[in-house]
């Protein structure tokens, strides 16, 4: 395989199409915790660190799952012979370590270390324990807490940070459960999908009273979630993957909901990132 093919494979493993959702997670956490616009250097470092940590975790996911993929997903880059197991381990660990160092530089080192540990633990056990969905949920919530620890001007964590992190936690758990069912035996239980509605009351608690932008953002998130879940209908073997990809893009709408009152001027940028994610997903799989 030539260099271009290997690069494309790493881009696929890094789930680059999901990075805009990491950026809005970071931006929302920064704003909600009181981050100052003048400290743009810290924000950029946190964005880079969060991106590297996320991509490092997804790359390592394939390194940990190599034996499973040889049996069930032979088209994945390692079993297909596009990338060596050693190269994937090195790239994943390097990205995770570098991203963690960047986060620890500007935020809480303890929280940054906890995030890295949660990512490694999830990658190591997620195929063997269904409860690992909660560990993955903790990863998104911890990222928000890491960023907030860098931005918070006063006692940490604040109510806004806790509500945002909590919404990310339950939303991620529902998405991860849905994604897990794609490769797990047994019936697909739909009740965890109710967790996808949790961000609405969580964000509502911050709106006193709700501004018009809140209702627009809430309608966008609710409508997109319903449209994503509609992809589960039928017998198409790709239906779960298509649903999960849409729900992952929905993270940007979730963050927009939390930004709708505190920073409505950022909503056009969030909308652009949402569209950018959908474009990226056409060529780079989200899962």
């Amino acid at each position: 395989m030539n260099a271009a093919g290997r690069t494309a494979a790493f881009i696929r493993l890094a789930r680059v199409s999901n990075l805009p959702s990491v950026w809005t997670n970071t931006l929302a956490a920064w704003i909600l915790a009181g981050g100052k616009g003048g400290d743009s250097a810290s924000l950029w470092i946190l964005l880079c660190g969060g991106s590297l940590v996320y991509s490092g975790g997804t790359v390592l996911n394939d390194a940990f799952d190599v034996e499973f993929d040889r049996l069930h997903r032979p088209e994945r880059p390692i079993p297909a012979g596009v990338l060596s197991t050693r190269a994937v381990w090195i790239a994943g660990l390097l990205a995770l370590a570098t991203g963690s160092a960047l986060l620890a530089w500007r935020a809480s080192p303890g929280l940054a270390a906890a995030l890295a540990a949660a990512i490694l633990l999830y990658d190591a056990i997620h195929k063997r324990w269904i409860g690992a969905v909660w560990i993955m949920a903790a990863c998104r919530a911890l990222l928000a807490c890491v960023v907030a620890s860098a931005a918070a001007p006063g006692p940490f964590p604040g109510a806004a940070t806790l509500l945002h992190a909590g919404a990310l936690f339950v939303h991620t758990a529902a998405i991860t459960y849905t994604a897990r069912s794609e490769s797990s035996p047994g019936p697909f239980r739909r009740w965890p999908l109710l967790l996808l509605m949790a961000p609405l009351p969580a964000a509502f608690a911050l709106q006193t009273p709700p501004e018009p932008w809140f209702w627009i953002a809430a309608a966008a998130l609710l409508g997109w979630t319903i449209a994503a879940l509609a992809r589960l209908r039928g017998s198409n073997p790709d239906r779960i993957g298509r649903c999960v990809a849409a729900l992952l893009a929905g993270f940007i709408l979730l963050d927009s909901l939390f930004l709708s009152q505190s920073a409505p001027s950022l909503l056009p940028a969030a909308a652009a990132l949402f569209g950018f994610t959908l474009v990226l997903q056409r060529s780079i799989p989200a899962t």
Side-chain angles (χ1 to χ4, degrees):
M1 177 64 67
N2 57 29
R6 290 192 295 271
T7 299
F10 272 119
I11 289 173
R12 178 183 176 187
L13 293 189
R15 312 291 199 276
V16 170
S17 59
N18 295 333
L19 287 182
S21 71
V22 176
W23 302 339
T24 59
N25 289 166
T26 301
L27 183 59
W30 175 265
I31 295 295
L32 291 169
K36 303 300 182 183
D39 192 11
S40 59
S42 290
L43 180 56
W44 280 110
I45 290 169
L46 293 168
L47 286 166
C48 291
S51 299
L52 285 169
V53 163
Y54 180 87
S55 291
T58 61
V59 170
L60 288 172
N61 188 276
D62 269 53
F64 276 104
D65 290 352
V66 62
E67 296 305 323
F68 176 91
D69 288 342
R70 291 191 200 281
L71 294 174
H72 304 284
R73 301 287 301 276
E75 77 281 1
R76 300 294 296 174
I78 298 178
V82 178
L83 297 172
S84 70
T85 305
R86 181 174 180 271
V88 172
W89 274 109
I90 292 173
L93 289 172
L94 183 60
L96 182 62
T98 304
S100 298
L102 288 174
L103 293 177
W105 180 20
R106 293 301 173 107
S108 164
L111 286 173
L115 173 58
I119 289 171
L120 287 171
L121 180 60
Y122 173 80
D123 284 345
I125 70 173
H126 75 105
K127 287 292 190 221
R128 302 192 297 274
W129 183 45
I130 192 171
V133 299
W134 302 109
I135 301 175
M136 172 55 78
C139 292
R140 285 266 184 178
L142 277 169
L143 175 62
C145 290
V146 169
V147 173
S149 73
F156 171 80
T161 294
L162 289 175
L163 286 169
H164 180 233
L168 290 174
F169 181 86
V170 294
H171 199 74
T172 304
I175 295 174
T176 308
Y177 173 82
T178 304
R180 180 186 176 88
S181 66
E182 190 174 20
S183 59
S184 298
F188 174 59
R189 296 178 176 84
R190 296 177 183 266
W191 66 263
L193 297 177
L194 294 173
L195 296 175
L196 293 170
M197 297 298 106
L200 296 173
F204 183 84
L206 291 177
Q207 315 292 321
T208 52
E211 298 287 341
W213 282 114
F214 170 85
W215 298 113
I216 295 172
L221 176 59
L222 181 60
W224 182 256
T225 301
I226 292 172
L229 295 178
R231 299 184 178 192
L232 291 173
R233 293 182 297 184
S235 57
N236 189 321
D238 296 331
R239 68 188 188 283
I240 293 177
R242 293 173 63 245
C243 172
V244 170
L247 291 174
L248 287 168
F251 269 117
I252 298 173
L253 301 179
L254 183 158
D255 293 321
S256 298
L257 183 64
F258 278 86
L259 290 170
S260 59
Q261 181 157 298
S262 56
S265 61
L266 293 175
L267 294 181
L273 286 173
F274 178 73
F276 183 48
T277 295
L278 299 183
V279 171
L280 287 177
Q281 286 183 352
R282 294 179 181 177
S283 55
I284 305 171
T287 61

